[in-house]
């Protein structure tokens, strides 16, 4: 009898796996994304109507000249943006993810999922601690790391000197795979810009510079509604950040060019989303008159500019900075604001974070849940922005080293759980969501690598 039951569970598990790779599963993703997309476009269109401004217009010649002249000092511009509002913020997106359901399963596709008490109710496979240890083996306690002051094996300065020497060798060989492996132990500050470019296969060729200049020309010639959203976002986020306000001009240049870059559309091939469309006036619904809007298919949300800001520390030549950001976006960042079942997608990261807390810090998880402070409501904004704007920049770059090194965003969920573990004593004393948020309001003093190491290899068994 037991044998039959285990055979049956195996068959069910196999069917579920097939279903996950099937058309039906991707249809569920597309359905959820489709209704969210409609909401965003409705918000964009209603802004156009309320403010009586078009989605796009050609700039008069005088305005083109003026913009060209101040291209390197757009930060000095103070346009009135009071009537513009971000199309959505991370918390709006979280509500969409919380409401995701798979109609084929009542409460998940396995008994274990029925005991999941977090906000995410989609039964995806996420790693447990033993699997994460195996995945992030180079973060082990006995392995030298940049970003850790007291390695158990070797004095930090000895490790650092040797690590720099190896890094220089990797760069001399121009071996992208070797660079990716090397950076798992962190990148020396002086080598980081070159190592990241090597891993991302970015080499500044004359045609790349020319391509960037063409995008710039497009910005000069045409004004898009999303330009105002970009301005507003930079003003609300990076301009108020102690680390990033000095890069305001770079951010405008990169993000305005990015919105015109149709090559970004290619990432939709790896995504359940489809790029938003607009129609030529009077031709609504006629496909032959449809155009992607904005041209890159990405509508910026509140905090979007923080994906670019940390890169400004590494790259000071605009076309190189642009290429690096675009590659980081199409490889990684797009997954943080689109619905998919990918292990690095935001749905999986949320589920991984909740599962880690519920499994390995159950008392804390239940306490926060009981007082109405579901942990994901606090950590979601960190993960959506890949911790940009929350960690000190040196720590953020060490974290992003590992994203590139492991070609995965899962480390974001692990770090979010590690932050809760680190502040667990204080969190056990709070009695409201506001109090829990206050305990976790400032992450700028945290040291990323010790937190990750302790959480993965020391605390949790």
């Amino acid at each position: 009898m037991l044998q039959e039951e285990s055979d049956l569970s195996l068959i069910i598990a196999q069917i579920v796996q097939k279903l996950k790779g099937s058309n039906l599963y991707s249809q569920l993703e597309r359905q959820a994304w489709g209704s969210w997309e409609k909401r965003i476009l409705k918000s964009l269109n209603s802004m156009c109507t309320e403010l009586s401004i078009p989605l796009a217009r050609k700039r008069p010649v005088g305005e083109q000249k003026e913009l060209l002249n101040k291209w390197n000092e757009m930060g000095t511009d103070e346009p009135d943006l009071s009537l513009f509002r971000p199309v959505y913020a991370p918390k709006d997106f979280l509500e969409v993810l919380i409401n995701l359901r798979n109609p084929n399963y009542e409460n998940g596709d396995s008994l274990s999922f029925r005991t999941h008490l977090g906000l995410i109710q989609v039964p995806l496979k996420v790693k447990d601690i033993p699997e994460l240890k195996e995945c992030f083996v180079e973060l082990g306690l006995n392995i030298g790391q940049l970003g850790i002051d007291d390695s158990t094996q070797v004095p930090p300065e000895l490790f650092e000197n040797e690590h720099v020497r190896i890094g220089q060798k990797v760069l001399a060989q121009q071996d992208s795979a070797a660079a990716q492996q090397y950076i798992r132990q962190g990148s020396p500050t002086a080598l980081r810009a070159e190592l990241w470019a090597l891993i991302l296969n970015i080499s500044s060729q004359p045609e790349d510079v020319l391509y960037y200049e063409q995008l710039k020309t497009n910005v000069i010639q045409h004004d898009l509604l999303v330009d105002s959203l970009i301005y507003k976002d930079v003003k609300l986020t990076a301009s108020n950040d102690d680390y990033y306000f000095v890069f305001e001009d770079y951010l405008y240049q990169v993000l305005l060019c990015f919105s015109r870059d149709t090559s970004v559309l290619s990432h939709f091939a790896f995504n359940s989303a489809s790029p938003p469309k607009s129609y030529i006036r009077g031709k609504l619904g006629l496909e032959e008159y449809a155009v992607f809007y904005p041209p890159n298919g990405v509508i910026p949300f509140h905090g979007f500019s923080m994906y670019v800001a940390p890169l400004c520390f590494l790259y000071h030549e605009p076309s190189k900075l642009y290429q690096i950001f675009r590659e980081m976006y199409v490889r990684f960042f797009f997954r943080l604001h689109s619905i998919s079942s990918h292990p690095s997608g935001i749905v999986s990261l949320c589920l991984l974070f909740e599962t880690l807390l519920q499994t390995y810090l159950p008392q804390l998880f239940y306490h926060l849940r009981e007082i109405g402070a579901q942990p994901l409501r606090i950590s979601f904004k960190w993960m959506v922005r890949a911790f940009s704007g929350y960690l000190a920049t040196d720590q953020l770059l060490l974290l992003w080293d590992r994203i590139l090194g492991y070609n995965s965003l899962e480390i974001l969920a692990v770090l979010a759980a590690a932050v809760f573990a680190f502040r667990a004593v204080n969190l056990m004393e709070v009695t409201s969501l506001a109090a829990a948020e206050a305990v976790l309001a400032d992450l700028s003093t945290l040291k990323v690598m010790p937190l990750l190491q302790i959480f993965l290899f020391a605390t949790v068994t």
Side-chain angles (χ1 to χ4, degrees):
M1 185 67 183
L2 281 172
Q3 179 60 41
E4 278 177 24
E5 276 182 20
S6 79
D7 287 350
L8 185 62
S9 347
L10 193 64
I11 292 164
I12 291 169
Q14 286 168 343
I15 291 169
V16 168
Q17 278 312 108
K18 279 183 186 162
L19 181 64
K20 284 187 176 176
S22 76
N23 199 23
L24 177 61
Y25 207 73
S26 65
Q27 274 173 358
L28 297 173
E29 283 178 20
R30 283 185 188 283
Q31 214 175 344
W33 184 253
S35 55
W36 170 237
E37 219 167 50
K38 280 184 188 134
R39 261 178 67 184
I40 297 172
L41 288 172
K42 191 176 176 186
S43 172
L44 206 58
N45 286 323
S46 64
M47 214 183 312
C48 282
T49 311
E50 285 166 29
L51 306 179
S52 301
I53 49 174
L55 284 170
R57 68 177 179 92
K58 185 154 183 159
R59 297 185 202 272
V61 176
E63 196 182 313
Q64 290 186 30
K65 282 181 182 166
E66 191 186 341
L67 181 56
L68 191 57
N69 290 336
K70 66 176 185 194
W71 180 255
N72 292 317
E73 47 197 49
M74 283 188 274
T76 58
D77 217 14
E78 290 291 338
D80 179 15
L81 300 169
S82 54
L83 296 172
F84 289 92
R85 59 184 184 275
V87 176
Y88 70 97
K91 66 179 190 305
D92 306 314
F93 187 42
L94 175 58
E95 292 308 317
V96 175
L97 303 189
I98 290 170
N99 290 309
L100 279 178
R101 293 290 181 278
N102 190 330
N104 285 337
Y105 313 113
E106 219 17 65
N107 288 311
D109 60 351
S110 66
L111 282 170
S112 63
F113 194 80
R114 287 178 203 167
T115 60
H116 180 73
L117 299 173
L119 295 172
I120 298 298
Q121 292 299 315
V122 185
L124 298 173
K125 171 82 180 81
V126 293
K127 293 183 175 75
D128 58 17
I129 290 270
E131 288 168 319
L132 288 166
K133 281 181 177 174
E134 206 175 299
C135 176
F136 297 116
V137 70
E138 292 85 358
L139 304 185
L141 296 167
N142 301 325
I143 294 173
Q145 296 288 331
L146 287 187
I148 291 187
D149 301 327
D150 50 353
S151 169
T152 49
Q153 298 293 316
V154 201
E157 61 280 3
L158 275 183
F159 166 72
E160 197 158 330
N161 293 341
E162 177 62 7
H163 196 55
V164 168
R165 192 186 64 75
I166 298 167
Q168 288 165 336
K169 202 171 166 185
V170 166
L171 283 173
Q173 291 169 343
Q174 283 295 290
D175 183 336
S176 184
Q180 199 168 9
Q181 180 64 39
Y182 168 84
I183 213 169
R184 291 178 178 190
Q185 290 171 269
S187 171
T189 306
L191 306 183
R192 184 175 278 123
E194 282 185 81
L195 284 165
W196 285 19
L198 178 56
I199 292 167
L200 296 168
N201 295 316
I202 301 295
S203 57
S204 279
Q205 302 298 326
E207 58 268 28
D208 298 318
V209 179
L210 186 63
Y211 185 72
Y212 174 77
E213 288 300 322
Q214 286 169 342
L215 294 172
K216 176 180 167 181
T217 302
N218 202 311
V219 176
I220 301 292
Q221 289 176 348
H222 296 90
D223 180 26
L224 304 182
L225 169 67
V226 291
D227 296 355
S228 296
L229 299 179
I230 289 166
Y231 269 105
K232 179 99 176 191
D233 187 53
V234 173
K235 292 283 182 203
L236 287 174
T237 55
S239 298
N240 293 322
D241 190 289
D242 291 347
Y243 292 105
Y244 304 126
F245 72 95
V246 292
F247 301 124
E248 198 176 338
D249 296 326
Y250 277 149
L251 296 177
Y252 293 131
Q253 291 169 13
V254 166
L255 288 165
L256 291 173
C257 287
F258 181 68
S259 66
R260 272 75 171 173
D261 192 344
T262 53
S263 76
V264 177
L265 291 167
S266 65
H267 89 275
F268 285 98
F270 309 100
N271 194 345
S272 63
S274 52
K277 284 179 181 175
S278 177
Y279 293 86
I280 290 165
R281 194 167 291 173
K283 305 289 184 182
L284 185 63
L286 297 173
E287 282 305 308
E288 61 269 34
Y289 294 101
V291 289
F292 293 126
Y293 185 87
N296 69 345
V298 181
I299 295 172
F301 58 89
H302 178 59
F304 192 84
S305 57
M306 297 305 282
Y307 290 146
V308 189
L311 303 173
C312 298
F313 275 99
L314 304 181
Y315 305 96
H316 309 296
E317 199 276 299
S319 72
K320 182 77 172 274
L321 169 63
Y322 178 75
Q323 287 178 74
I324 296 285
F325 164 65
R326 182 181 63 189
E327 195 56 33
M328 287 288 282
Y329 180 81
V330 298
R331 282 200 196 191
F332 302 111
F333 298 147
F334 84 90
R335 297 198 183 281
L336 297 174
H337 64 98
S338 52
I339 297 169
S340 80
S341 53
H342 192 280
S344 279
I346 192 64
V347 184
S348 294
L349 298 186
C350 291
L351 189 56
L352 174 58
F353 164 75
E354 290 192 319
T355 307
L356 287 173
L357 277 196
Q358 187 180 334
T359 310
Y360 299 102
L361 294 160
Q363 273 184 296
L364 176 62
F365 183 82
Y366 294 125
H367 168 66
L368 291 173
R369 190 172 173 269
E370 283 304 301
I371 62 164
Q374 276 276 14
L376 185 60
R377 292 204 180 273
I378 299 169
S379 67
F380 185 73
K381 58 186 179 291
W382 307 338
M383 293 191 287
V384 166
R385 279 181 18 183
F387 281 89
S388 179
Y390 296 106
L391 296 172
T393 305
D394 63 326
Q395 297 301 305
L396 183 78
L397 295 174
L398 286 166
L399 176 67
W400 286 14
D401 280 342
R402 275 67 180 196
I403 289 174
L404 282 157
Y406 290 99
N407 195 33
S408 165
L409 292 164
E410 288 165 302
I411 202 160
L412 298 177
V414 179
L415 178 59
V419 171
F420 273 75
F422 181 64
R423 297 263 166 93
V425 174
N426 304 65
L427 288 168
M428 286 301 290
E429 292 173 7
V430 302
T431 54
S432 67
L433 174 61
E437 283 177 327
V439 168
L440 296 162
D442 182 12
L443 309 186
S444 63
T445 57
L446 296 182
K447 299 289 183 197
V448 165
M449 296 321 299
L451 274 186
L452 285 167
Q453 270 197 335
I454 291 165
F455 183 74
L456 279 176
F457 294 93
T459 313
V460 178
T461 52

